[in-house]
Amino acid sequence: MTAVMIDLQGTEITSEERELLAHPAVGGVIYFTRNFADIDQLNELVRQTRAAARNPLILAVDHEGGRVQRFRQGFSTIPAMGQIVEQADNFEHAQHMAQELGWLMASEILTMDIDLSFAPVLDVNGISEVIGERAFASTAEQVTLLARGFIKGMHQAGMKATGKHFPGHGSVQADSHIAMPVDERAWEDILATDLPPFIELANCLDAVMPAHVIYPAVDDQPAGFSERWLQNILRAQLGFKGVIFSDDLAMAAATAAGTMPERAIAALNAGCDMVLACNDRAGASAVLEALEPRFTEAEKRANRCYEQLAKCAGLGWQTLHNHPRWHQAQSLLERF
């Protein structure tokens, strides 16, 4: 069994959410733009979140940069990763910029006592409607080199890195938030085009998030619900030893696995360590109810995820803003 990561509805915790946070199967919370008003409010929300929980929590956010940056006012504006090469003097400079942006993003999130930003995106920019400039580049080689720098910066700040969306979402057009993408290519094409960043970076990633995409040449289930993708390929062939998060079970593409509880159980059985039940409160409650007979094992798994992914102590907000590296990173942002 595994733990569940839930979301919150607003800028303050409700009484219903306090009950959910006390559930033994809840091991994490993911924040969205709706949860942020300003820095002081976010600090208090995080404090209340941790205080209400039964388990030690992994707190997370999608704060990649570009259009996927949940916290704005008071935070540095991180560019889309696809803009780095365009604004760099040369590719070596682009790698340096990626590292400094990874450090900057992670450092600011850590000051909020949030453990993870689900980054970096390791998708290769191809035809996807939802990836685009979220990807570092349109070739696997450049994605790998730039992402390696970004991961190094995250690690230097004290944050663990989550590669997404395994085995690659960039070569299929449909948006898995609203449709069921099917990548009809042969295994050899996927292996040559999209998998290399995951292969090359498997030993320095701390977590992976699989795509809600079906690759019929490999399996008839989306990757996040596929034992073949998660156990046979990611674990056995690539040697990945970190945490596997499902993508949000409320996304349209996840409906291929049935109801919310059925999706959670399918993701668990495939090999996910923590499932995200977000943007569907009734569905999240149903997932927790379905896991009720296995509370003890769920709580143990939640604690194991926390031990692997909990943040190092971050700098204080004012200390960070006085840090020479923070000021140097601000000068990089002037290029965008």
Side-chain angles (χ1 to χ4, degrees):
M1 193 40 57
T2 188
V4 181
M5 179 172 280
I6 63 170
D7 61 340
L8 304 175
Q9 296 302 305
T11 56
E12 298 180 354
I13 294 179
T14 66
S15 57
E16 177 193 22
E17 289 165 348
R18 289 183 188 279
E19 291 184 13
L20 290 175
L21 288 166
H23 194 288
V26 171
V29 170
I30 181 170
Y31 295 112
F32 292 91
T33 300
R34 64 176 177 267
N35 303 125
F36 177 73
D38 56 50
I39 289 168
D40 289 341
Q41 168 272 325
L42 182 60
N43 268 319
E44 177 59 17
L45 180 63
V46 169
R47 187 196 67 78
Q48 291 182 11
T49 304
R50 291 201 185 278
R54 171 171 173 165
N55 293 315
L57 293 179
I58 295 294
L59 301 185
V61 63
D62 287 316
H63 201 85
E64 304 165 10
R67 70 179 186 272
V68 184
Q69 177 171 334
R70 305 306 188 199
F71 310 145
R72 297 283 179 173
Q73 182 183 350
F75 286 81
S76 298
T77 301
I78 307 297
M81 296 298 99
Q83 296 177 358
I84 294 175
V85 170
E86 298 172 3
Q87 300 303 323
D89 296 335
N90 50 54
F91 194 75
E92 184 177 355
H93 185 225
Q95 291 174 276
H96 170 73
M97 291 174 70
Q99 179 175 324
E100 294 309 292
L101 290 171
W103 178 87
L104 176 63
M105 179 279 294
S107 295
E108 292 192 343
I109 294 300
L110 289 172
T111 65
M112 298 291 105
D113 194 24
I114 295 173
D115 302 284
L116 295 178
S117 171
F118 284 131
V121 168
L122 299 184
D123 303 305
V124 177
N125 187 9
I127 61 172
S128 172
E129 295 174 352
V130 74
I131 301 302
E133 279 195 330
R134 294 171 66 190
F136 285 97
S138 57
T139 70
E141 180 181 12
Q142 288 195 344
V143 168
T144 300
L145 291 171
L146 293 169
R148 190 181 296 278
F150 196 86
I151 292 166
K152 184 177 180 180
M154 291 178 69
H155 284 168
Q156 288 170 342
M159 180 181 285
K160 305 298 175 66
T162 304
K164 60 186 188 185
H165 305 83
F166 176 81
H169 199 315
S171 297
V172 60
Q173 186 171 14
D175 180 351
S176 53
H177 292 86
I178 58 175
M180 181 66 258
V182 179
D183 189 333
E184 299 284 1
R185 293 173 304 152
W187 160 251
E188 291 76 16
D189 292 334
I190 300 168
L191 179 62
T193 304
D194 295 274
L195 264 175
F198 293 95
I199 295 171
E200 295 296 324
L201 298 172
N203 63 348
C204 61
L205 287 169
D206 307 284
V208 162
M209 180 177 287
H212 286 325
V213 176
I214 296 174
Y215 308 84
V218 177
D219 198 344
D220 61 1
Q221 293 297 315
F225 304 111
S226 166
E227 183 177 351
R228 185 169 183 188
W229 274 116
L230 300 186
Q231 297 296 334
N232 298 355
I233 298 176
L234 180 60
R235 293 288 193 202
Q237 294 183 31
L238 274 60
F240 177 68
K241 301 185 186 308
V243 172
I244 302 176
F245 290 99
S246 80
D247 208 342
D248 185 359
L249 297 179
M251 290 166 59
T255 60
T259 64
M260 283 283 281
E262 289 169 341
R263 296 170 214 173
I265 291 169
L268 305 175
N269 290 341
C272 288
D273 298 298
M274 183 171 281
V275 295
L276 275 65
C278 315
N279 300 305
D280 180 348
R281 177 52 53 77
S285 297
V287 167
L288 295 175
E289 184 177 348
L291 301 186
E292 189 165 352
R294 312 183 213 188
F295 282 172
T296 302
E297 181 56 32
E299 192 168 13
K300 288 179 180 177
R301 181 56 67 89
N303 290 334
R304 287 199 294 272
C305 289
Y306 178 81
E307 289 168 2
Q308 291 186 61
L309 294 176
K311 65 178 179 58
C312 299
L315 299 173
W317 188 255
Q318 193 58 51
T319 302
L320 176 63
H321 281 229
N322 290 331
H323 198 291
R325 191 169 181 180
W326 185 88
H327 287 282
Q328 292 165 7
Q330 299 305 306
S331 67
L332 283 180
L333 295 179
E334 295 174 1
R335 289 175 173 259
F336 296 92

